[in-house]
Amino acid sequence: MTSNLLIDSPIIQFTILLTVIFTVPPIFERLRVPGLVGLLIAGVVLGQNGLKLLNSESETISLLSDIGKVYLMFVAGLEIDLKQFRKTKNRSIVFGILTFLIPLLAGIYVGRLFNFGWNASVLIGSLLASHTLLAYPIVSRLGVVMNESVTVTVGATIFTDTGALLVLAICVGIHGGEFSAISLASLLGGLAIYSTLVLFGFDWAGKEFFRRSGDEQSNQFLFILLALFLASVGAQIVGVEKIVGAFLAGLAVNDVVGRSPVKEKIEFIGSVLFIPCFFVDMGLLINIPAFIKTLSSIWLTVVIVVALISSKFMAAFLAKLIYRYNTAEMLTMWSLSLPQVAATLAAALVGYQTLNPAGERLINEGVLNSVIVLMLVTSIMGPLITTRFAALLQTPQTNFEPENISNWWESSDSQTAEKTQHPFTVAVPIYNPQTQRYLIEMAALIAQHESGQILPLAVTKAHVHMDDPQLGISLAQSQKRLKMAEEISQEFNVKVSTAIRIDDDVALAISRTSREQNASLVVMGWSRTTGLRARLFGNIIDSVFWSSHCPVAVTRLVSSPKTIARIIVPIGDLRPQTISAWRFAEMLADANKAEVVLLHVFNSNTPANLVEQFTTQLSDIVAKSQLQVNTKIQIIIDDDVAKAIVREAQAFDLAVLRSVRYRTTGGLAVSQVTTQVIEELTGSIVLLGEAHL
């Protein structure tokens, strides 16, 4: 009796959930199985068909799962790249219609084939119509996100997800009461008014609040959360499912949060807590006997999976015919639109839990279990196909002028006139006396090369009372560090202008001072993300990356920059941000009379003509350089990019890497390849982050 009371305790249930979320996903990811699959299995094991430690009907699980469900759809709306959608708007809409309508019709046919009613059949169709961009990190890593087939597919997501959720809202509304033309018109009218209010009202309110609140990230975070739950409650008031409101809220505040630190905090809280709770609850809902029975009469599951795969392929094939895409582009579009995770699972759960006045579910356990199998199949199949064929995509030819290459630190054309009125300034935040020398040497070499100056900056944490003795001690220590920085700088004969800043926020102090002094570059020392607060809200480097107006070079130097003779720069694509990493290395090499090697790693399946095309484009860019630096291009074939980079970099004095902005869980927002290189490489590293635009 006592044990049952303990298990029913909300604190015990929450502790069990946290333990599962903390331990299970890493184990499954090591087995190369998506962590979300592990959470589903954990739910089955801990549920009523297993250890009976968790109950889906308990208030704790129900609340956390509901929050996770709306959070999942909110993040889905938040992650849609509206800028990319606008670039290929017309083609994205066409492909969105194709990859929505064809699976919708296929799903309706499947529903009618298995004797489901029209309403349930339409809902089954809507479950197949959306897609989750699960493989987007793969195309980003391969450097082909600018390929039109990728941007069109990303843009189509806004149409498929919105359309699928609107169909869900109508189906749920019809199932919940007596259907008539008047009730349908009323539902559609209310939905139209509500959608307009959310999309335009929240967008306007968010921009106004962010403009007035300045740097108050905590209040901005709370505002976004409030917008999410207000939209969810509003959706229920007008008679539609709350996940529709959550998705619309994500679209509405998409432009507001942009790429700000607030967006990372929102996504982090969801991805580490609430969304995993939703997947565990999905596992709790799986009835093992019913699941086995579904698989024993496997035809429903097989037909649903085949209908999804074939209909998504047909949509991509028609897009190929209409816009004359090649086979690799068509298969990439198909594979990106295959995975059915976010909207599909959330909508399936809503359909399963929706009861009509007679107590009948909108969709039965067989459909729910088939959707779970569909998720497992497509979440593995989609990324595998993307990895195979996205490597074959061609990237658009990039035109670089010599003056654009030499002024790589310019964040936009509008700042060019402003920057040319000031000398090239390298801001150097200093704190650790043990690493200070190498940091100042790096900044001085770059400033010397550009006939500029360096700005050593010491930030002292503010106290409530400005006459606090501890503050006086800190200021004295800062003065000592700045004096040492001046002495080191004199060895390079560069102009030095020191600064001390008293501030509560170290990162903002660095960003604000560098902006006030019109710095062209910020050079920082490496620091690891440690402690709970840093894991939750990111470290100082991460915050400077987000807020800085100019590029930020984060350095981990194991020897003096003056001794650097060979520099390696991994080149993943030919975008300006990547070329800027080469330009940084070239500038440092020119100061040291060093050699630069540009390394590109191709997949073993890449056709020879694409290798040749990329090499030619890269050679043309190198030829435009105004500096006489010994620059070589090295092309190697290897399916493990990170290991190849680490292996080749061992023979070099410095590796210059580029920060690729990813969804992050605190710390530097870099790609998976860059993360692995940083962890495994023992030599000196510079991680170059572009200006936040």
Side-chain angles (χ1 to χ4, degrees):
M1 183 68 178
T2 305
S3 61
N4 289 336
L5 289 174
L6 283 175
I7 292 173
D8 291 338
S9 165
I11 296 297
I12 298 295
Q13 292 190 346
F14 188 61
T15 304
I16 294 172
L17 278 174
L18 287 182
T19 304
V20 168
I21 294 167
F22 180 72
T23 59
V24 172
I27 294 173
F28 276 77
E29 285 165 5
R30 282 183 177 274
L31 300 173
R32 300 195 179 278
V33 177
L36 297 180
V37 176
L39 293 174
L40 282 170
I41 295 174
V44 174
V45 173
L46 296 173
Q48 296 306 300
N49 294 286
L51 300 177
K52 301 187 188 311
L53 293 178
L54 296 176
N55 185 352
S56 181
E57 296 180 1
S58 73
E59 292 184 4
T60 304
I61 303 296
S62 179
L63 173 63
L64 292 174
S65 177
D66 272 356
I67 294 174
K69 185 167 58 178
V70 298
Y71 220 112
L72 180 68
M73 294 313 305
F74 177 70
V75 170
L78 201 61
E79 286 190 326
I80 290 176
D81 195 329
L82 295 179
K83 288 184 179 179
Q84 281 195 341
F85 174 72
R86 294 180 186 117
K87 288 178 183 177
T88 56
K89 181 174 62 177
N90 293 334
R91 295 194 173 194
S92 291
I93 291 174
V94 171
F95 180 62
I97 292 172
L98 291 174
T99 197
F100 173 80
L101 282 182
I102 297 175
L104 177 68
L105 294 174
I108 293 173
Y109 177 77
V110 170
R112 296 302 294 162
L113 184 65
F114 285 87
N115 298 318
F116 288 98
W118 278 104
N119 197 31
S121 298
V122 171
L123 179 60
I124 292 172
S126 74
L127 296 179
L128 306 186
S130 63
H131 63 258
T132 304
L133 293 170
L134 204 62
Y136 185 79
I138 296 172
V139 294
S140 180
R141 185 192 72 211
L142 294 172
V144 294
V145 292
M146 300 306 292
N147 184 279
E148 186 180 291
S149 65
V150 175
T151 58
V152 164
T153 309
V154 172
T157 308
I158 190 172
F159 188 91
T160 58
D161 285 5
T162 304
L165 290 175
L166 292 180
V167 172
L168 170 70
I170 294 170
C171 290
V172 170
I174 292 173
H175 188 73
E178 294 184 2
F179 171 69
S180 67
I182 296 176
S183 64
L184 179 61
S186 176
L187 176 64
L188 291 175
L191 187 58
I193 296 171
Y194 163 76
S195 301
T196 303
L197 287 174
V198 171
L199 290 173
F200 295 100
F202 281 28
D203 180 65
W204 173 83
K207 288 176 179 176
E208 283 294 309
F209 182 81
F210 271 54
R211 182 177 62 83
R212 295 174 185 273
S213 60
D215 298 319
E216 297 176 9
Q217 292 183 20
S218 58
N219 284 339
Q220 292 173 352
F221 177 79
L222 290 174
F223 174 87
I224 297 300
L225 281 186
L226 180 61
L228 161 60
F229 289 103
L230 278 177
S232 300
V233 172
Q236 291 178 296
I237 292 174
V238 299
V240 296
E241 175 54 39
K242 51 183 171 288
I243 63 172
V244 178
F247 181 75
L248 292 175
L251 288 178
V253 301
N254 195 309
D255 274 337
V256 177
V257 297
R259 295 166 58 194
S260 70
V262 176
K263 180 179 180 180
E264 284 203 341
K265 293 176 175 62
I266 293 166
E267 293 181 337
F268 174 72
I269 293 295
S271 63
V272 301
L273 180 59
F274 296 121
I275 295 174
C277 287
F278 166 71
F279 280 93
V280 173
D281 185 44
M282 285 289 294
L284 294 176
L285 289 172
I286 297 175
N287 185 321
I288 295 297
F291 192 78
I292 294 173
K293 184 179 178 181
T294 299
L295 295 183
S296 63
S297 55
I298 201 170
W299 289 114
L300 174 63
T301 303
V302 169
V303 173
I304 284 179
V305 172
V306 171
L308 180 279
I309 294 173
S310 58
S311 61
K312 290 291 185 182
F313 180 85
M314 180 60 68
F317 181 74
L318 289 176
K320 174 191 176 183
L321 296 180
I322 295 171
Y323 296 117
R324 300 183 183 280
Y325 293 135
N326 59 39
T327 302
E329 289 171 328
M330 178 198 72
L331 293 174
T332 300
M333 295 176 76
W334 174 50
S335 64
L336 284 174
S337 61
L338 263 183
Q340 305 292 301
V341 182
T344 306
L345 282 181
L349 183 59
V350 169
Y352 177 71
Q353 294 175 333
T354 299
L355 303 175
N356 65 9
E360 297 171 337
R361 298 186 185 276
L362 179 49
I363 58 173
N364 60 26
E365 279 185 332
V367 176
L368 179 65
N369 293 335
S370 297
V371 167
I372 291 172
V373 173
L374 179 70
M375 185 273 290
L376 297 176
V377 172
T378 58
S379 64
I380 295 172
M381 182 179 174
L384 286 176
I385 298 173
T386 302
T387 302
R388 170 69 177 82
F389 292 102
L392 308 181
L393 296 182
Q394 298 182 16
T395 53
Q397 174 71 48
T398 309
N399 295 319
F400 291 100
E401 297 299 330
E403 58 269 21
N404 291 338
I405 299 176
S406 64
N407 293 335
W408 62 273
W409 58 84
E410 304 285 1
S411 59
S412 67
D413 294 338
S414 61
Q415 293 182 347
T416 303
E418 176 187 355
K419 294 260 184 169
T420 53
Q421 297 172 3
H422 299 84
F424 186 95
T425 302
V426 183
V428 194
I430 54 176
Y431 179 76
N432 187 352
Q434 296 179 345
T435 60
Q436 180 174 330
R437 168 167 281 278
Y438 290 169
L439 204 59
I440 296 296
E441 285 182 2
M442 173 71 77
L445 278 171
I446 296 171
Q448 183 186 57
H449 183 273
E450 295 298 312
S451 302
Q453 63 181 2
I454 67 171
L455 176 70
L457 167 65
V459 180
T460 301
K461 292 286 286 186
H463 289 249
V464 176
H465 303 291
M466 289 296 103
D467 59 352
D468 191 309
Q470 188 60 45
L471 179 59
I473 294 172
S474 298
L475 288 172
Q477 292 173 341
S478 296
Q479 290 284 8
K480 186 177 178 180
R481 288 195 294 269
L482 290 176
K483 184 176 180 181
M484 179 181 172
E486 286 185 283
E487 292 173 355
I488 297 171
S489 302
Q490 288 174 0
E491 301 174 12
F492 294 84
N493 195 29
V494 295
K495 182 180 177 182
V496 184
S497 177
T498 61
I500 290 182
R501 183 98 179 205
I502 301 174
D503 206 309
D504 290 311
D505 191 311
V506 176
L508 285 178
I510 295 170
S511 298
R512 288 166 176 167
T513 304
S514 62
R515 186 67 186 94
E516 290 166 1
Q517 300 299 321
N518 227 23
S520 308
L521 174 70
V522 176
V523 175
M524 300 179 65
W526 199 273
S527 68
R528 294 193 177 275
T529 304
T530 57
L532 179 61
R533 185 179 184 280
R535 281 183 60 79
L536 285 173
F537 300 108
N539 60 14
I540 292 173
I541 294 173
D542 195 41
S543 298
V544 173
F545 262 21
W546 282 111
S547 57
S548 178
H549 75 290
C550 64
V552 179
V554 183
T555 65
R556 188 182 72 192
L557 302 171
V558 298
S559 60
S560 171
K562 295 186 293 183
T563 65
I564 293 173
R566 301 191 74 210
I567 304 173
I568 187 169
V569 186
I571 299 290
D573 52 55
L574 298 180
R575 285 183 286 178
Q577 296 91 337
T578 307
I579 300 304
S580 70
W582 160 65
R583 172 59 182 136
F584 175 90
E586 187 189 41
M587 195 162 56
L588 188 60
D590 193 44
N592 271 357
K593 306 304 178 188
E595 175 191 47
V596 176
V597 173
L598 305 181
L599 174 68
H600 183 76
V601 183
F602 274 108
N603 186 285
S604 59
N605 296 316
T606 307
N609 66 313
L610 289 186
V611 176
E612 183 179 352
Q613 180 191 28
F614 184 91
T615 306
T616 301
Q617 290 184 29
L618 187 56
S619 300
D620 290 343
I621 294 170
V622 171
K624 293 179 181 179
S625 173
Q626 296 176 335
L627 299 179
Q628 300 301 313
V629 174
N630 182 15
T631 302
K632 298 179 180 178
I633 297 173
Q634 182 179 355
I635 304 295
I636 62 176
I637 306 296
D638 200 308
D639 290 331
D640 193 326
V641 178
K643 284 188 178 179
I645 294 173
V646 172
R647 183 181 64 246
E648 298 297 325
Q650 299 297 341
F652 290 80
D653 303 311
L654 176 70
V656 179
L657 310 172
R658 179 176 72 89
S659 167
V660 181
R661 295 209 171 274
Y662 257 33
R663 226 171 88 178
T664 181
T665 55
L668 297 180
V670 296
S671 73
Q672 294 173 346
V673 171
T674 308
T675 301
Q676 188 175 340
V677 171
I678 290 171
E679 290 175 350
E680 297 183 12
L681 200 59
T682 56
S684 296
I685 295 174
V686 171
L687 182 66
L688 190 68
E690 71 272 16
H692 172 54
L693 301 177

